[in-house]
């Protein structure tokens, strides 16, 4: 029995070493994560659909937002009830799980791909309550949170390096989005653009594997996953490309207004509804009032998007739903419902495209295919909000199967992305980070820079002397060659400056006391500074070395750091990150 256990341990150790040390090993983990991601997306989708049926009635077959005759009492009260439940859940979390969950983008940008399974459970629960009770939010945030957390814990279990762990978190996000839309390429490039932050040959195989496997798992569970199927879209001519450019600019402006609107609603509710746990209920009541005008504002909007693509509606109805859905989404997120704008942005873009097409046709400027502009608008609006132009292009390609349509979409998403960056500077995810005070704009790994702190780099074996010591005594205690720099302390033991040993020996004999030749009396480093901040301090003080103190008030000396060493460590870490990006680590 003991020998068998030893063989098992050795076998597991060999498997772990193979996975950590080879590219095929990472692909195998990508497949495992893909299985988990597909199961997560299918399970959460099924639970949400079950909640819709339970709360709103058995008529919810093709999506809550596709209902035409909804009970007014249910439409009005269910989102408010869900908001109240969510508020109570948040009260409990504030007491027993107070930390803010780290999503995959933030994890890869700041934490080297480390995520907690508890955060995934929290976000998934909040997301299901929000969506299940009809708030105007999608489930994609929950999908990617749980899948990313599972991927992160799997990578940590196998001891993956920082770069590989970030790729595996991307595999989780890719699998989740691919399973949600039955679109492997969309999921993969969502991961490359938003979660990993770059595309490399080394990361291609595991991410694609995860996306494909997750899609197959979701099909196996559901029979089929939700698919955006606009049907036969006409190939665009020159006029189609011109209208795609116009629609791209309109989508950019509308998306910026929507993102600003979320922040505005949040600010207004903070003033009007003081208790934070009541804000989701207040927001839910407002969404319910909008649902009385059009049930299409409820939930993510799957049914409404299906109707927009497959039925001929009036321009007035499309415009009304466009305005109400945008308002409902802003209210839901501003009130604190958990979810995202991924699917809402697709629906809003499709509606915007149909409204523009109807306006052009009514103005007598020519006949325009509403379905073409709906697909272009869907991808352009999604790019503006989500910030993943290639993912949105592949979504159009995988749902229409028309390469010429994908060409018009590609032009539109490029223009939309450029306009949003110039006029606003953020996607919705990075805008939320900005509001929280985080300075990240993508998933590019900047966490290593934050970890490269003065406290970790400084030397602690420093030598000190009292600032009132005479130079003659200093020369006796510190002969030439014994040290390069000595830290001077005042009578209270606080930092007073730096003495250069060579300068002390070169000073005239009558120069007394030591305090007359001290350098950088006021300039010092703090242990929490990162390498970039430290170099800025070196430049400002024009110093080659600086003391590290514990605080501005106490000024107790902790160590010494040189600019040369900071530059060397920064260069080493930067080289590591570059090697990881190209798969050479």
């Amino acid at each position: 029995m003991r020998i068998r256990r030893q063989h098992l341990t050795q076998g597991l150790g060999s498997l772990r070493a193979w996975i950590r040390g080879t590219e095929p090993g990472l692909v195998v983990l990508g497949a495992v994560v893909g299985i988990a991601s597909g199961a997560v997306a299918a399970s959460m989708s099924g639970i949400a659909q079950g909640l819709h049926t339970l709360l709103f009635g058995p008529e919810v077959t093709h999506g809550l937002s596709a209902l035409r005759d909804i009970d007014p009492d249910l439409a009005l009260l269910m989102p408010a009830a869900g908001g109240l439940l969510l508020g109570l859940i948040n009260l409990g979390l504030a007491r027993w799980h107070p930390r803010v969950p780290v999503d995959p983008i933030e994890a890869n940008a700041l934490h080297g791909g480390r995520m907690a399974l508890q955060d995934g459970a929290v976000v998934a629960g909040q997301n299901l309550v929000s969506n299940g009770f009809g708030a105007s939010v999608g489930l994609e945030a929950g999908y990617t949170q749980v899948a990313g957390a599972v991927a992160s814990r799997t990578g940590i279990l196998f001891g993956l390096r920082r770069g590989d762990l970030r790729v595996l978190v991307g595999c989780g996000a890719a699998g989740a989005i691919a399973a949600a839309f039955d679109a492997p390429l969309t999921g993969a490039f969502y991961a490359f653009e938003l979660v990993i932050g770059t595309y490399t040959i080394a990361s291609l195989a595991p991410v694609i594997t995860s996306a494909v496997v997750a899609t197959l798992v979701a099909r196996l569970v559901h029979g089929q996953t939700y698919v955006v199927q606009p049907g036969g879209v006409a190939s665009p001519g020159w006029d189609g490309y011109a209208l795609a450019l116009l629609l791209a600019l309109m989508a950019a402006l509308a998306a910026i207004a929507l993102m600003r609107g979320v922040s505005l609603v949040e600010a207004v509710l903070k003033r009007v509804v003081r208790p934070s746990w009541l804000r989701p209920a207040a927001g839910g009541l407002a969404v319910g009032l909008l649902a009385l005008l059009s049930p299409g504002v409820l939930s993510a909007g799957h049914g409404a998007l299906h109707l927009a693509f497959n039925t001929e509606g009036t321009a007035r109805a499309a415009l009304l739903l466009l305005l109400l859905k945008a308002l409902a989404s802003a209210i839901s997120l501003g009130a604190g419902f958990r979810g995202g704008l991924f699917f809402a942005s697709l629906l809003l873009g499709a509606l915007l495209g149909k409204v523009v097409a109807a306006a052009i046709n009514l103005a007598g400027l020519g006949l325009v295919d509403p379905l073409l502009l709906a697909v272009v608008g869907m991808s352009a609006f999604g790019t503006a909000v989500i910030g993943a132009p290639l993912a949105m292009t592949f979504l159009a390609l995988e749902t229409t199967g028309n390469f010429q349509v994908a060409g018009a979409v590609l032009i539109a998403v490029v223009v939309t992305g450029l306009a949003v960056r110039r006029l606003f500077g953020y996607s919705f995810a990075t805008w939320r980070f900005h509001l929280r005070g985080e300075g990240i704009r993508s998933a590019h790994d900047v966490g290593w820079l934050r970890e490269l702190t003065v406290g970790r780099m400084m030397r602690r074996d420093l030598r000190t002397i009292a600032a009132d010591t005479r130079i003659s005594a200093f020369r006796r205690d510190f002969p030439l060659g014994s040290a390069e720099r000595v830290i001077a302390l005042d009578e209270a033991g606080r930092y007073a400056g730096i003495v250069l040993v060579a300068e002390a020996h070169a000073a005239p004999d009558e120069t007394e006391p030591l305090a007359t030749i001290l350098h950088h009396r006021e300039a010092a480093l703090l242990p929490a500074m990162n390498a970039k901040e430290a170099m800025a301090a070196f430049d400002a003080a024009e110093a080659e070395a600086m003391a590290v103190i514990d605080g501005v008030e106490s000024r107790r000396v902790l160590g010494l750091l040189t600019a040369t060493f900071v530059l060397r460590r920064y260069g080493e870490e930067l080289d590591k990150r570059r090697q990881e990006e190209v798969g050479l680590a």
Side-chain angles (χ1 to χ4, degrees):
M1 184 69 179
R2 186 175 179 181
I3 296 176
R4 185 179 301 173
R5 187 175 300 174
Q6 288 178 345
H7 284 308
L8 179 61
T9 303
Q10 291 174 355
L12 291 175
S14 299
L15 174 64
R16 182 171 176 269
W18 178 74
I19 287 176
R20 290 184 72 246
T22 63
E23 286 189 29
L26 192 59
V27 173
V28 170
L29 281 190
V32 172
V33 168
I35 294 172
S37 300
V40 164
S43 300
M44 288 187 63
S45 175
I47 292 172
Q49 181 65 27
L51 283 173
H52 293 163
T53 303
L54 176 66
L55 299 175
F56 292 91
E59 298 82 8
V60 186
T61 305
H62 300 291
L64 180 57
S65 58
L67 286 177
R68 296 188 180 274
D69 298 317
I70 189 171
D71 187 334
D73 293 334
L74 293 178
L76 180 63
L77 297 178
M78 278 304 168
L84 183 60
L85 176 59
L86 181 63
L88 294 175
I89 291 173
N90 291 341
L91 272 181
L93 291 173
R95 182 172 181 179
W96 291 293
H97 191 80
R99 73 180 189 183
V100 177
V102 175
D103 76 359
I105 298 175
E106 187 179 2
N108 270 6
L110 300 178
H111 306 291
R114 292 182 172 270
M115 299 177 66
L117 287 172
Q118 300 95 317
D119 289 351
V122 167
V123 172
Q126 292 172 323
N127 199 182
L128 285 170
V129 169
S130 301
N131 181 280
F133 279 81
S136 189
V137 295
L139 290 170
E140 292 78 19
Y143 296 161
T144 55
Q145 184 75 38
V146 178
V150 170
S152 178
R153 302 315 297 176
T154 302
I156 292 172
L157 178 65
F158 281 91
L160 295 187
R161 292 180 293 266
R162 183 189 186 98
D164 291 340
L165 185 60
R166 294 178 72 253
V167 170
L168 202 63
V169 171
C171 291
I177 297 300
F181 292 95
D182 197 34
L185 287 173
T186 301
F189 277 85
Y190 175 92
F192 289 134
E193 293 180 282
L194 292 184
V195 181
I196 301 175
T198 186
Y199 163 81
T200 64
I201 296 297
S203 61
L204 177 64
V207 171
I208 291 291
T209 299
S210 178
V212 172
V213 170
T215 303
L216 295 176
V217 169
R219 288 177 184 174
L220 182 65
V221 173
H222 276 320
Q224 64 176 8
T225 53
Y226 179 80
V227 188
V228 181
Q229 290 182 325
V233 184
S235 299
W238 287 103
D239 56 340
Y241 279 86
L243 290 174
L245 294 177
L246 174 63
L247 184 56
L249 293 174
M250 296 177 67
L253 296 176
I256 292 171
L258 175 61
M259 291 185 280
R260 289 282 190 188
V262 173
S263 302
L264 179 62
V265 169
E266 187 174 5
V268 169
L269 285 176
K270 283 182 178 179
R271 290 185 180 181
V272 176
V273 184
R274 293 291 182 180
S276 61
W277 64 276
L278 279 178
R279 289 174 200 148
L285 186 60
V287 172
L289 290 171
L290 296 176
L292 295 179
L293 299 175
S294 173
V297 305
L298 294 174
S299 191
H302 290 173
L305 184 60
H306 179 78
L307 291 176
F309 276 132
N310 294 282
T311 61
E312 289 292 337
T314 64
R316 181 179 178 182
L319 179 60
L320 178 63
L321 182 55
L322 171 64
L323 297 176
L324 292 180
K325 180 64 177 179
L327 183 58
S329 296
I331 290 174
S332 297
L333 292 172
F337 283 102
R338 176 69 76 168
L341 284 175
F342 193 123
F343 206 94
S345 67
L346 303 182
L347 173 57
L348 291 171
L351 292 171
L352 179 62
K354 296 199 76 172
V355 168
V356 170
I360 292 172
N361 291 336
L362 287 175
L365 300 178
L367 292 178
V368 179
D369 182 10
L371 207 52
L372 169 64
L373 290 193
V375 172
V376 172
M378 176 186 75
S379 300
F381 210 108
T383 296
V385 172
I386 301 162
L390 287 179
M392 293 300 99
T393 303
F394 280 115
L395 180 61
L397 175 61
E398 289 180 293
T399 54
T400 65
N402 189 323
F403 281 93
Q404 292 182 333
V405 170
V409 167
L410 186 58
I411 293 294
V413 299
V414 168
V415 172
T416 301
L418 180 61
V420 171
R421 284 197 304 274
R422 295 296 298 172
L423 299 176
F424 190 57
Y426 301 91
S427 65
F428 181 69
T430 54
W431 172 239
R432 302 296 284 174
F433 291 143
H434 168 73
L435 294 178
R436 281 169 38 193
E438 289 286 357
I440 59 175
R441 290 175 180 260
S442 71
H444 284 286
D445 191 4
V446 296
W448 65 270
L449 181 58
R450 295 192 178 191
E451 295 172 5
L452 193 63
T453 61
V454 167
R456 293 188 175 188
M457 293 186 290
M458 69 182 183
R459 289 177 48 194
R460 298 179 182 273
D461 56 337
L462 49 85
R463 304 181 70 176
T464 62
I465 195 169
D468 57 0
T469 304
R470 294 184 176 276
I471 289 182
S472 56
F474 178 87
R475 290 170 176 169
R476 184 180 62 251
D477 293 339
F478 296 95
L480 282 171
S482 61
E484 187 176 358
R485 300 174 184 86
V486 179
I487 303 295
L489 307 177
D490 63 14
E491 61 277 3
R494 297 173 299 187
Y495 173 68
I498 296 178
V499 183
L500 300 179
V501 175
E503 183 179 351
H505 281 270
D509 292 341
E510 63 272 11
T511 304
E512 299 286 354
L514 191 63
T516 58
I517 59 171
L518 293 180
H519 293 270
H520 315 305
R521 300 177 184 226
E522 302 299 327
L525 301 173
L526 298 174
M529 288 180 172
N530 61 44
K532 206 169 188 178
E533 294 168 335
M535 286 310 305
F538 280 118
D539 290 340
E542 297 182 354
E544 294 182 0
M546 294 176 69
V548 182
I549 59 177
D550 63 346
V552 178
E553 298 296 330
S554 58
R555 297 180 68 81
R556 186 171 64 88
V557 177
L558 301 177
L560 183 74
L561 186 62
T562 65
T564 303
F565 185 76
V566 174
L567 285 173
R568 181 162 64 84
R569 287 290 294 114
Y570 181 84
E572 290 173 351
E573 291 298 323
L574 189 62
D575 188 55
K576 284 183 183 178
R577 302 290 86 79
R578 286 173 176 168
Q579 289 187 27
E580 287 175 354
E581 287 183 357
V582 297
L584 296 178

